[in-house]
Amino acid sequence: MSAKMTALTVLSAALLAPALLVAPAHAAPTPPADGKGGPAKAPQAPAPPVSMSTVGGSLLGQPGTQVNLLPGAPALPTNLTGRSWLVADAESGEVLAAHNAHWRLPPASTMKMLFADTVLPGLPKEQVHKVTEQDMDGVGPGSSLVGVKEDLEYSVHDLWLGVFLRSGNDAVHVLSAMNGGIDKTVKDMQAHAEELQALDTHVVSPDGYDAPEQVSSAYDLTLIARSGLQKQDFREYCGTANAKFPGRQEAGKPREYFEIQNTNRLMTGAGGLSPYKGIAGVKNGNTTMAGSTFTGAAQQGSKKLLVTVMNPDAGGANSVYEETAALFDWGFAAAGKVKPVGELVPPKSADTSSHGSPAQSHENNPSAAGKGSGGVGTALAVAGGVLAVLAGGAFVVNRRWPRGRRSRGEDLV
Protein backbone atom coordinates (compact mmCIF):
# COMPACT_ATOMS: atom_id res chain seq x y z
CA MET A 1 0.00 0.00 0.00
CA SER A 2 1.71 3.19 -1.19
CA ALA A 3 -0.38 5.86 0.49
CA LYS A 4 0.92 7.06 3.86
CA MET A 5 -1.56 7.23 6.72
CA THR A 6 0.09 10.17 8.43
CA ALA A 7 -3.22 11.61 9.63
CA LEU A 8 -4.30 8.45 11.44
CA THR A 9 -3.52 7.50 15.00
CA VAL A 10 -2.23 4.02 15.79
CA LEU A 11 -5.66 3.08 17.08
CA SER A 12 -7.40 4.33 13.95
CA ALA A 13 -4.93 2.47 11.75
CA ALA A 14 -5.58 -0.74 13.64
CA LEU A 15 -9.33 -0.35 13.26
CA LEU A 16 -9.10 0.36 9.56
CA ALA A 17 -6.54 -2.32 8.72
CA PRO A 18 -9.01 -5.18 8.07
CA ALA A 19 -11.06 -3.08 5.69
CA LEU A 20 -7.97 -1.95 3.82
CA LEU A 21 -6.70 -5.47 3.41
CA VAL A 22 -9.88 -6.73 1.78
CA ALA A 23 -10.59 -3.67 -0.35
CA PRO A 24 -10.18 -4.10 -4.12
CA ALA A 25 -7.12 -2.55 -5.66
CA HIS A 26 -9.11 0.03 -7.57
CA ALA A 27 -10.97 1.26 -4.44
CA ALA A 28 -8.40 3.94 -3.62
CA PRO A 29 -8.20 6.72 -6.25
CA THR A 30 -4.79 7.58 -7.64
CA PRO A 31 -3.45 10.62 -5.74
CA PRO A 32 -2.79 13.68 -7.88
CA ALA A 33 0.76 14.33 -8.99
CA ASP A 34 2.90 16.81 -7.09
CA GLY A 35 4.47 18.23 -10.27
CA LYS A 36 7.68 16.23 -9.77
CA GLY A 37 6.49 12.85 -10.91
CA GLY A 38 5.34 11.65 -7.50
CA PRO A 39 2.01 11.63 -5.66
CA ALA A 40 0.93 14.87 -4.04
CA LYS A 41 1.21 14.98 -0.28
CA ALA A 42 -1.89 15.81 1.72
CA PRO A 43 -1.60 19.12 3.57
CA GLN A 44 -0.91 18.69 7.24
CA ALA A 45 -2.15 20.91 10.04
CA PRO A 46 0.68 22.72 11.82
CA ALA A 47 1.85 21.20 15.07
CA PRO A 48 1.84 23.20 18.31
CA PRO A 49 5.19 24.35 19.69
CA VAL A 50 7.00 21.82 21.86
CA SER A 51 7.50 24.49 24.50
CA MET A 52 5.02 27.25 25.29
CA SER A 53 4.47 29.83 28.03
CA THR A 54 3.82 28.46 31.51
CA VAL A 55 1.85 31.46 32.75
CA GLY A 56 -0.96 29.99 34.84
CA GLY A 57 0.80 26.69 35.52
CA SER A 58 3.41 24.42 33.94
CA LEU A 59 0.84 21.98 32.53
CA LEU A 60 -0.56 24.79 30.38
CA GLY A 61 2.81 25.08 28.65
CA GLN A 62 2.68 21.51 27.40
CA PRO A 63 1.26 20.59 23.99
CA GLY A 64 -1.82 18.42 23.79
CA THR A 65 -4.80 18.02 26.08
CA GLN A 66 -4.40 18.66 29.81
CA VAL A 67 -7.09 17.41 32.18
CA ASN A 68 -7.15 15.69 35.60
CA LEU A 69 -10.37 13.71 35.90
CA LEU A 70 -11.45 12.65 39.38
CA PRO A 71 -13.77 9.67 40.04
CA GLY A 72 -17.18 10.30 38.53
CA ALA A 73 -15.99 13.01 36.14
CA PRO A 74 -17.38 12.90 32.61
CA ALA A 75 -14.97 12.28 29.76
CA LEU A 76 -14.08 15.17 27.49
CA PRO A 77 -16.03 15.43 24.23
CA THR A 78 -14.58 13.23 21.52
CA ASN A 79 -15.38 15.49 18.57
CA LEU A 80 -13.05 18.38 19.39
CA THR A 81 -10.92 19.62 16.49
CA GLY A 82 -9.91 23.09 17.68
CA ARG A 83 -6.18 23.67 17.44
CA SER A 84 -6.37 25.30 20.85
CA TRP A 85 -9.10 25.48 23.50
CA LEU A 86 -9.59 26.14 27.19
CA VAL A 87 -12.35 25.76 29.81
CA ALA A 88 -12.13 27.87 32.97
CA ASP A 89 -14.22 28.75 35.99
CA ALA A 90 -14.97 32.45 35.51
CA GLU A 91 -15.11 33.14 39.26
CA SER A 92 -12.16 31.23 40.70
CA GLY A 93 -10.06 31.38 37.53
CA GLU A 94 -9.33 27.66 37.74
CA VAL A 95 -8.60 26.07 34.38
CA LEU A 96 -10.62 22.86 34.26
CA ALA A 97 -9.12 21.55 31.01
CA ALA A 98 -7.09 22.88 28.12
CA HIS A 99 -5.58 21.91 24.78
CA ASN A 100 -2.48 23.75 23.55
CA ALA A 101 -3.53 26.61 25.84
CA HIS A 102 -0.61 28.94 25.03
CA TRP A 103 -0.32 28.25 21.30
CA ARG A 104 0.04 31.68 19.73
CA LEU A 105 -2.45 31.84 16.85
CA PRO A 106 -4.20 34.58 14.85
CA PRO A 107 -7.19 35.71 16.93
CA ALA A 108 -9.46 37.34 14.32
CA SER A 109 -12.17 39.54 15.86
CA THR A 110 -11.78 38.05 19.33
CA MET A 111 -9.03 40.70 19.52
CA LYS A 112 -11.88 43.20 19.85
CA MET A 113 -12.33 42.00 23.45
CA LEU A 114 -8.92 43.47 24.28
CA PHE A 115 -9.80 46.60 22.30
CA ALA A 116 -12.98 47.07 24.32
CA ASP A 117 -11.41 46.24 27.68
CA THR A 118 -8.71 48.84 26.96
CA VAL A 119 -10.66 51.68 25.33
CA LEU A 120 -14.21 51.41 26.65
CA PRO A 121 -13.56 52.84 30.16
CA GLY A 122 -12.04 56.04 28.77
CA LEU A 123 -14.86 57.13 26.43
CA PRO A 124 -18.15 58.33 27.98
CA LYS A 125 -20.93 56.44 26.28
CA GLU A 126 -23.06 59.56 25.72
CA GLN A 127 -20.22 61.35 23.86
CA VAL A 128 -21.14 62.09 20.24
CA HIS A 129 -18.67 62.13 17.36
CA LYS A 130 -19.07 63.23 13.74
CA VAL A 131 -17.27 60.72 11.53
CA THR A 132 -14.63 62.03 9.14
CA GLU A 133 -12.97 60.46 6.12
CA GLN A 134 -9.74 60.13 8.10
CA ASP A 135 -11.51 58.14 10.81
CA MET A 136 -12.19 55.38 8.29
CA ASP A 137 -8.65 55.15 6.92
CA GLY A 138 -7.16 51.68 7.06
CA VAL A 139 -10.37 49.65 7.28
CA GLY A 140 -9.24 46.47 5.53
CA PRO A 141 -10.91 45.15 2.38
CA GLY A 142 -13.52 42.53 3.15
CA SER A 143 -13.87 43.75 6.74
CA SER A 144 -17.03 43.15 8.69
CA LEU A 145 -18.90 46.46 8.89
CA VAL A 146 -21.86 47.78 10.84
CA GLY A 147 -22.57 50.61 8.42
CA VAL A 148 -20.90 53.74 9.86
CA LYS A 149 -21.04 56.61 7.37
CA GLU A 150 -18.86 59.66 6.99
CA ASP A 151 -20.29 63.06 7.94
CA LEU A 152 -22.88 61.50 10.27
CA GLU A 153 -22.89 61.65 14.06
CA TYR A 154 -22.76 58.61 16.34
CA SER A 155 -22.65 58.25 20.10
CA VAL A 156 -19.99 56.11 21.72
CA HIS A 157 -22.84 53.85 22.80
CA ASP A 158 -23.90 53.38 19.17
CA LEU A 159 -20.37 52.56 18.12
CA TRP A 160 -19.86 49.93 20.83
CA LEU A 161 -23.07 48.24 19.71
CA GLY A 162 -21.53 48.11 16.24
CA VAL A 163 -18.34 46.58 17.63
CA PHE A 164 -19.94 43.89 19.78
CA LEU A 165 -22.97 42.93 17.70
CA ARG A 166 -21.73 43.24 14.13
CA SER A 167 -17.97 43.08 14.77
CA GLY A 168 -17.80 46.34 12.81
CA ASN A 169 -14.25 47.29 11.90
CA ASP A 170 -15.61 50.67 10.82
CA ALA A 171 -16.84 51.29 14.38
CA VAL A 172 -13.48 50.13 15.77
CA HIS A 173 -11.62 52.63 13.63
CA VAL A 174 -13.86 55.52 14.66
CA LEU A 175 -13.48 54.67 18.35
CA SER A 176 -9.73 54.34 17.85
CA ALA A 177 -9.68 57.81 16.31
CA MET A 178 -11.53 59.12 19.36
CA ASN A 179 -8.92 57.40 21.52
CA GLY A 180 -6.07 59.26 19.83
CA GLY A 181 -5.55 57.21 16.69
CA ILE A 182 -4.77 53.67 15.59
CA ASP A 183 -1.11 53.72 16.63
CA LYS A 184 -1.90 54.97 20.12
CA THR A 185 -4.72 52.48 20.49
CA VAL A 186 -2.50 49.56 19.48
CA LYS A 187 0.10 50.67 22.05
CA ASP A 188 -2.60 51.03 24.70
CA MET A 189 -3.89 47.55 23.93
CA GLN A 190 -0.43 46.01 24.06
CA ALA A 191 0.28 47.69 27.38
CA HIS A 192 -3.05 46.51 28.76
CA ALA A 193 -2.31 42.95 27.61
CA GLU A 194 0.97 43.13 29.52
CA GLU A 195 -0.87 44.40 32.61
CA LEU A 196 -3.29 41.47 32.39
CA GLN A 197 -0.32 39.09 31.89
CA ALA A 198 -1.72 38.10 28.51
CA LEU A 199 1.83 37.63 27.31
CA ASP A 200 1.08 35.51 24.25
CA THR A 201 -0.71 38.48 22.68
CA HIS A 202 0.91 40.73 20.10
CA VAL A 203 -1.33 43.51 18.79
CA VAL A 204 -0.96 44.88 15.27
CA SER A 205 -4.49 46.06 14.48
CA PRO A 206 -7.19 46.93 17.02
CA ASP A 207 -9.95 45.15 15.09
CA GLY A 208 -8.27 41.74 14.74
CA TYR A 209 -7.96 42.04 10.96
CA ASP A 210 -5.34 39.61 9.63
CA ALA A 211 -1.88 41.08 9.98
CA PRO A 212 1.59 39.50 10.13
CA GLU A 213 2.62 38.61 13.69
CA GLN A 214 -0.76 39.46 15.19
CA VAL A 215 -1.38 36.60 17.60
CA SER A 216 -3.01 35.63 20.86
CA SER A 217 -3.85 32.33 22.55
CA ALA A 218 -6.81 30.52 24.06
CA TYR A 219 -5.34 31.28 27.47
CA ASP A 220 -4.94 35.00 26.77
CA LEU A 221 -8.35 35.43 25.17
CA THR A 222 -9.97 33.79 28.19
CA LEU A 223 -7.96 36.01 30.52
CA ILE A 224 -8.98 39.11 28.55
CA ALA A 225 -12.65 38.09 28.51
CA ARG A 226 -12.60 37.62 32.29
CA SER A 227 -11.20 41.12 32.72
CA GLY A 228 -13.78 42.63 30.38
CA LEU A 229 -16.67 40.90 32.10
CA GLN A 230 -15.81 42.75 35.31
CA LYS A 231 -17.02 45.93 33.59
CA GLN A 232 -20.78 46.51 33.50
CA ASP A 233 -20.85 48.18 30.09
CA PHE A 234 -18.72 45.39 28.58
CA ARG A 235 -21.11 42.77 29.99
CA GLU A 236 -24.17 44.57 28.66
CA TYR A 237 -22.76 45.10 25.16
CA CYS A 238 -21.50 41.54 24.72
CA GLY A 239 -24.77 40.20 26.14
CA THR A 240 -26.96 42.17 23.71
CA ALA A 241 -28.72 40.03 21.11
CA ASN A 242 -30.09 42.79 18.86
CA ALA A 243 -30.37 46.57 18.77
CA LYS A 244 -31.24 49.56 16.62
CA PHE A 245 -28.33 51.29 14.88
CA PRO A 246 -28.42 54.86 13.49
CA GLY A 247 -28.89 55.17 9.76
CA ARG A 248 -29.51 58.12 7.45
CA GLN A 249 -30.17 61.61 8.74
CA GLU A 250 -32.23 63.94 6.56
CA ALA A 251 -32.74 67.57 7.49
CA GLY A 252 -35.98 68.18 9.33
CA LYS A 253 -36.72 64.47 9.77
CA PRO A 254 -36.11 62.02 12.61
CA ARG A 255 -32.97 59.91 12.24
CA GLU A 256 -33.52 56.53 10.65
CA TYR A 257 -32.50 53.37 12.50
CA PHE A 258 -31.99 49.81 11.28
CA GLU A 259 -31.89 46.49 13.10
CA ILE A 260 -28.59 44.79 13.89
CA GLN A 261 -28.19 41.33 15.38
CA ASN A 262 -25.32 39.80 17.30
CA THR A 263 -23.15 37.49 15.17
CA ASN A 264 -22.68 35.17 18.17
CA ARG A 265 -24.73 32.18 17.01
CA LEU A 266 -24.87 30.60 20.47
CA MET A 267 -26.75 33.72 21.53
CA THR A 268 -29.13 34.21 18.61
CA GLY A 269 -29.57 30.67 17.33
CA ALA A 270 -28.68 31.75 13.79
CA GLY A 271 -27.35 29.25 11.30
CA GLY A 272 -29.61 26.47 12.51
CA LEU A 273 -28.14 26.34 16.02
CA SER A 274 -30.18 26.48 19.20
CA PRO A 275 -29.28 29.32 21.60
CA TYR A 276 -27.11 27.97 24.40
CA LYS A 277 -28.75 27.99 27.82
CA GLY A 278 -27.25 30.69 30.02
CA ILE A 279 -25.05 32.26 27.33
CA ALA A 280 -23.77 35.73 28.23
CA GLY A 281 -21.39 36.61 25.36
CA VAL A 282 -18.60 37.34 24.61
CA LYS A 283 -17.00 37.50 21.08
CA ASN A 284 -16.58 35.52 17.89
CA GLY A 285 -14.27 35.97 14.93
CA ASN A 286 -13.39 34.56 11.53
CA THR A 287 -10.63 35.42 9.06
CA THR A 288 -8.59 33.59 6.45
CA MET A 289 -5.52 33.32 8.68
CA ALA A 290 -7.32 32.64 11.95
CA GLY A 291 -10.15 30.42 10.81
CA SER A 292 -13.01 30.56 13.30
CA THR A 293 -12.38 31.74 16.85
CA PHE A 294 -14.72 32.20 19.78
CA THR A 295 -14.66 33.04 23.47
CA GLY A 296 -17.93 32.46 25.29
CA ALA A 297 -19.29 33.00 28.80
CA ALA A 298 -22.22 31.08 30.21
CA GLN A 299 -23.91 30.57 33.58
CA GLN A 300 -26.00 27.66 34.81
CA GLY A 301 -27.10 27.86 38.43
CA SER A 302 -24.28 29.45 40.39
CA LYS A 303 -21.56 28.12 38.10
CA LYS A 304 -20.02 30.53 35.58
CA LEU A 305 -17.70 29.25 32.87
CA LEU A 306 -15.49 30.71 30.17
CA VAL A 307 -14.62 28.71 27.06
CA THR A 308 -12.32 29.64 24.20
CA VAL A 309 -11.96 27.64 20.97
CA MET A 310 -9.50 28.59 18.22
CA ASN A 311 -9.53 27.34 14.63
CA PRO A 312 -11.42 24.03 14.57
CA ASP A 313 -10.23 21.76 11.77
CA ALA A 314 -13.79 20.51 11.25
CA GLY A 315 -15.50 22.29 8.39
CA GLY A 316 -18.65 24.33 8.58
CA ALA A 317 -19.61 27.72 9.89
CA ASN A 318 -21.01 26.25 13.11
CA SER A 319 -18.02 24.15 14.16
CA VAL A 320 -16.54 26.69 16.57
CA TYR A 321 -19.93 27.13 18.25
CA GLU A 322 -20.66 23.41 18.40
CA GLU A 323 -17.31 22.66 19.99
CA THR A 324 -17.74 25.54 22.43
CA ALA A 325 -21.17 24.26 23.42
CA ALA A 326 -19.77 20.75 23.91
CA LEU A 327 -17.05 22.14 26.20
CA PHE A 328 -19.62 24.18 28.14
CA ASP A 329 -21.71 21.03 28.62
CA TRP A 330 -18.64 19.15 29.81
CA GLY A 331 -17.53 21.97 32.11
CA PHE A 332 -20.88 22.28 33.86
CA ALA A 333 -21.09 18.49 34.27
CA ALA A 334 -17.46 18.25 35.45
CA ALA A 335 -17.62 21.05 38.04
CA GLY A 336 -16.18 19.73 41.31
CA LYS A 337 -15.09 16.49 39.63
CA VAL A 338 -11.79 17.57 38.12
CA LYS A 339 -8.52 18.79 39.53
CA PRO A 340 -7.53 22.11 37.93
CA VAL A 341 -4.65 22.04 35.49
CA GLY A 342 -3.88 25.75 35.86
CA GLU A 343 -5.37 29.12 36.64
CA LEU A 344 -6.14 32.48 35.06
CA VAL A 345 -3.59 34.72 36.72
CA PRO A 346 -4.44 38.11 38.25
CA PRO A 347 -3.28 41.37 36.64
CA LYS A 348 0.18 42.60 37.60
CA SER A 349 -1.32 45.45 39.62
CA ALA A 350 -3.48 43.11 41.73
CA ASP A 351 -2.40 42.01 45.22
CA THR A 352 -0.26 39.04 44.26
CA SER A 353 2.01 38.87 47.31
CA SER A 354 0.94 35.30 48.02
CA HIS A 355 1.53 34.20 44.42
CA GLY A 356 5.22 35.04 44.13
CA SER A 357 6.70 37.36 41.52
CA PRO A 358 4.69 38.37 38.46
CA ALA A 359 4.92 36.11 35.43
CA GLN A 360 7.62 36.99 32.92
CA SER A 361 7.12 37.19 29.18
CA HIS A 362 8.54 34.31 27.16
CA GLU A 363 8.97 36.53 24.11
CA ASN A 364 12.35 37.74 22.93
CA ASN A 365 10.90 41.16 22.24
CA PRO A 366 8.85 42.33 25.22
CA SER A 367 5.98 44.59 24.27
CA ALA A 368 5.44 48.18 25.33
CA ALA A 369 5.63 48.86 29.02
CA GLY A 370 3.00 50.65 31.01
CA LYS A 371 -0.65 50.13 31.72
CA GLY A 372 -3.70 50.45 29.55
CA SER A 373 -6.95 52.08 30.45
CA GLY A 374 -8.36 50.83 33.72
CA GLY A 375 -11.36 51.26 35.93
CA VAL A 376 -15.00 50.69 35.26
CA GLY A 377 -16.96 52.53 32.59
CA THR A 378 -19.58 54.96 33.86
CA ALA A 379 -23.05 53.50 33.54
CA LEU A 380 -25.19 56.24 32.04
CA ALA A 381 -28.70 56.24 30.65
CA VAL A 382 -28.45 56.52 26.87
CA ALA A 383 -31.23 57.51 24.50
CA GLY A 384 -31.34 55.89 21.10
CA GLY A 385 -31.18 52.24 20.11
CA VAL A 386 -33.43 49.74 21.84
CA LEU A 387 -31.47 46.80 23.24
CA ALA A 388 -32.41 43.18 23.76
CA VAL A 389 -30.01 42.22 26.55
CA LEU A 390 -29.68 38.59 27.59
CA ALA A 391 -27.72 37.28 30.57
CA GLY A 392 -24.67 39.45 29.90
CA GLY A 393 -25.60 42.33 32.16
CA ALA A 394 -26.20 40.02 35.11
CA PHE A 395 -23.08 37.90 34.52
CA VAL A 396 -20.93 39.46 37.22
CA VAL A 397 -17.41 38.09 37.67
CA ASN A 398 -16.03 38.32 41.19
CA ARG A 399 -13.08 40.70 41.40
CA ARG A 400 -11.42 38.87 44.27
CA TRP A 401 -8.33 37.07 43.04
CA PRO A 402 -7.55 33.63 44.49
CA ARG A 403 -4.74 33.94 47.03
CA GLY A 404 -2.41 31.79 49.05
CA ARG A 405 -2.63 28.56 47.08
CA ARG A 406 0.55 28.46 45.00
CA SER A 407 2.97 30.51 43.00
CA ARG A 408 2.16 30.95 39.31
CA GLY A 409 4.96 28.75 38.07
CA GLU A 410 3.97 25.69 40.04
CA ASP A 411 2.20 22.69 38.58
CA LEU A 412 -1.26 21.72 39.76
CA VAL A 413 -0.99 17.95 39.72
Side-chain angles (χ1 to χ4, degrees):
M1 190 177 301
S2 60
K4 296 182 180 179
M5 295 184 293
T6 57
L8 298 177
T9 62
V10 174
L11 177 60
S12 299
L15 293 172
L16 291 174
L20 292 172
L21 290 173
V22 299
H26 63 271
T30 302
D34 62 1
K36 299 180 181 179
K41 295 182 180 180
Q44 294 183 347
V50 175
S51 178
M52 293 175 280
S53 167
T54 58
V55 173
S58 60
L59 284 179
L60 300 181
Q62 298 180 16
T65 301
Q66 309 300 324
V67 65
N68 288 324
L69 300 176
L70 299 176
L76 282 166
T78 59
N79 59 342
L80 301 176
T81 67
R83 294 183 182 178
S84 177
W85 53 259
L86 185 142
V87 184
D89 186 302
E91 290 280 17
S92 69
E94 293 177 338
V95 177
L96 307 184
H99 180 75
N100 301 325
H102 282 288
W103 192 357
R104 305 176 77 208
L105 297 166
S109 285
T110 49
M111 182 66 82
K112 290 182 173 77
M113 294 188 299
L114 178 60
F115 171 70
D117 195 39
T118 303
V119 175
L120 190 154
L123 295 176
K125 62 198 302 184
E126 82 282 4
Q127 182 177 340
V128 174
H129 177 79
K130 186 173 183 179
V131 176
T132 68
E133 181 179 355
Q134 290 73 26
D135 293 343
M136 307 288 279
D137 285 347
V139 176
S143 288
S144 52
L145 306 172
V146 67
V148 175
K149 302 298 182 184
E150 298 170 13
D151 299 322
L152 293 180
E153 292 184 340
Y154 299 86
S155 70
V156 168
H157 172 75
D158 295 328
L159 294 169
W160 282 121
L161 289 174
V163 171
F164 278 95
L165 273 68
R166 299 304 303 170
S167 204
N169 290 4
D170 46 358
V172 170
H173 277 249
V174 175
L175 288 164
S176 296
M178 297 176 69
N179 186 59
I182 295 292
D183 291 344
K184 177 183 180 299
T185 299
V186 166
K187 290 179 181 178
D188 288 348
M189 291 171 63
Q190 190 67 64
H192 190 48
E194 292 286 327
E195 157 64 13
L196 295 178
Q197 304 203 69
L199 304 180
D200 298 322
T201 299
H202 181 230
V203 185
V204 178
S205 65
D207 50 24
Y209 192 81
D210 281 341
E213 300 183 5
Q214 178 152 269
V215 291
S216 191
S217 67
Y219 181 88
D220 280 14
L221 292 175
T222 310
L223 199 70
I224 292 163
R226 189 179 185 221
S227 175
L229 287 166
Q230 292 175 354
K231 299 173 177 62
Q232 179 178 337
D233 288 347
F234 186 106
R235 293 195 303 272
E236 291 181 352
Y237 287 128
C238 78
T240 299
N242 51 71
K244 299 290 186 181
F245 193 80
R248 294 184 301 175
Q249 176 71 70
E250 296 184 15
K253 295 183 179 180
R255 182 111 181 230
E256 295 182 5
Y257 283 82
F258 58 91
E259 186 87 12
I260 59 174
Q261 186 179 62
N262 203 310
T263 54
N264 176 354
R265 294 187 177 186
L266 287 186
M267 179 175 292
T268 63
L273 290 175
S274 297
Y276 190 82
K277 179 182 178 182
I279 193 72
V282 281
K283 193 69 190 74
N284 57 311
N286 188 290
T287 65
T288 301
M289 291 175 61
S292 295
T293 59
F294 182 62
T295 296
Q299 179 174 356
Q300 292 185 8
S302 61
K303 183 62 62 177
K304 303 171 185 177
L305 296 181
L306 289 164
V307 171
T308 295
V309 175
M310 301 186 75
N311 201 348
D313 290 330
N318 287 335
S319 295
V320 74
Y321 301 107
E322 292 167 344
E323 296 190 17
T324 298
L327 286 168
F328 271 133
D329 287 344
W330 175 84
F332 286 120
K337 301 175 183 178
V338 296
K339 190 174 182 179
V341 295
E343 68 173 351
L344 302 177
V345 295
K348 287 182 179 179
S349 60
D351 179 7
T352 57
S353 58
S354 60
H355 287 277
S357 60
Q360 299 298 313
S361 174
H362 63 284
E363 297 187 55
N364 293 328
N365 298 315
S367 58
K371 298 179 181 178
S373 301
V376 179
T378 304
L380 299 172
V382 177
V386 178
L387 310 182
V389 182
L390 300 182
F395 188 95
V396 180
V397 177
N398 198 326
R399 280 184 174 273
R400 291 176 297 177
W401 305 112
R403 299 171 58 186
R405 293 181 299 168
R406 56 191 175 272
S407 65
R408 291 187 187 88
E410 293 178 1
D411 210 335
L412 287 100
V413 295

